[in-house]
Amino acid sequence: GDVTSATVIKKLCDMAKRREMQDVAAHLAEAAVGADDPDAAASEQLTRLMEQESDSEDRARNIGDVQELIDVFHWKSENPGAIRGMSTGYTKLDKITDGLHPGLIVLGGKTSDGKSTFALNLLLRVAEGMRDRGDKRACWLGSFEMSAIDIQLRAASRLSGYPLSDGGLTNAQMQELSKAVKLLRSLLS
């Protein structure tokens, strides 16, 4: 791939960390040798070294962050109005978050605030968009409050447009629900 200043900085930081680990081992050995309590002496030395490491890591990370920020501003100037991440299907949310980015997304709130419903709707919109683009990556939804079947029922209800709580669905509504289940299977596979 392309060599950017950010990749060079990361490589240099990684190399420096390996050298620092060798230095740490030497410092710990020096502190422990001849000490009345070698474990305590090594522990104190490690604490001092970790404080120093934290400061130098913060400086290196800040240099990398600055380069990443410059890259983002450059990309944004070349792509006005575009989002860098994956669209959520919610225009305002995409504008605020610059789209979804890889990683774990955690929603927090009180019980019954709609976290699971929002997450499910978000997941379905993202999965539909991914399917439409031929993107084969996976989306996953975990809930501490709902079982897998409850999540699937809600998803089928959302995709069919028929609330399952109403009961007494007509044959036409059952056919729509069946189509929704097939669509859900295609999104999950």
Side-chain angles (χ1 to χ4, degrees):
D2 293 344
V3 177
T4 65
S5 55
T7 58
V8 171
I9 290 169
K10 183 180 179 339
K11 184 66 174 172
L12 290 172
C13 288
D14 290 345
M15 291 168 60
K17 283 180 186 176
R18 281 193 290 278
R19 277 194 307 275
E20 288 175 20
M21 289 303 293
Q22 293 170 347
D23 292 343
V24 166
H27 286 295
L28 293 178
E30 282 177 25
V33 171
D36 292 335
D37 184 353
D39 289 339
S43 180
E44 288 173 23
Q45 180 65 14
L46 183 58
T47 300
R48 283 192 294 275
L49 291 171
M50 287 175 65
E51 289 169 358
Q52 293 171 358
E53 175 70 17
S54 177
D55 292 342
S56 69
E57 256 186 29
D58 288 344
R59 284 191 296 276
R61 187 178 15 251
N62 288 340
I63 292 169
D65 291 347
V66 169
Q67 181 59 50
E68 183 179 351
L69 188 59
I70 291 168
D71 292 344
V72 168
F73 281 129
H74 181 71
W75 187 89
K76 284 292 203 178
S77 69
E78 290 180 346
N79 302 282
I83 59 170
R84 292 181 315 123
M86 183 180 303
S87 176
T88 64
Y90 294 99
T91 307
K92 288 182 180 180
L93 182 60
D94 286 343
K95 187 174 182 176
I96 293 167
T97 63
D98 201 23
L100 295 179
H101 297 269
L104 177 67
I105 298 171
V106 178
L107 293 176
K110 294 183 293 186
T111 302
S112 300
D113 272 352
K115 298 176 302 294
S116 297
T117 300
F118 173 70
L120 178 60
N121 285 327
L122 185 65
L123 177 127
L124 291 172
R125 283 177 171 237
V126 168
E128 289 170 329
M130 290 171 61
R131 180 205 57 212
D132 294 346
R133 290 186 307 277
D135 191 331
K136 301 290 184 190
R137 288 179 289 178
C139 293
W140 182 83
L141 174 66
S143 172
F144 291 115
E145 298 172 351
M146 296 170 43
S147 69
I149 193 68
D150 289 337
I151 292 171
Q152 292 169 13
L153 284 170
R154 281 194 185 188
S157 175
R158 191 275 204 182
L159 292 170
S160 69
Y162 297 111
L164 296 178
S165 59
D166 287 352
L169 298 176
T170 66
N171 284 339
Q173 291 171 327
M174 285 300 291
Q175 288 176 352
E176 288 300 313
L177 188 57
S178 178
K179 288 179 190 175
V181 169
K182 288 178 185 172
L183 174 58
L184 181 59
R185 283 187 185 141
S186 75
L187 291 173
L188 296 175
S189 60

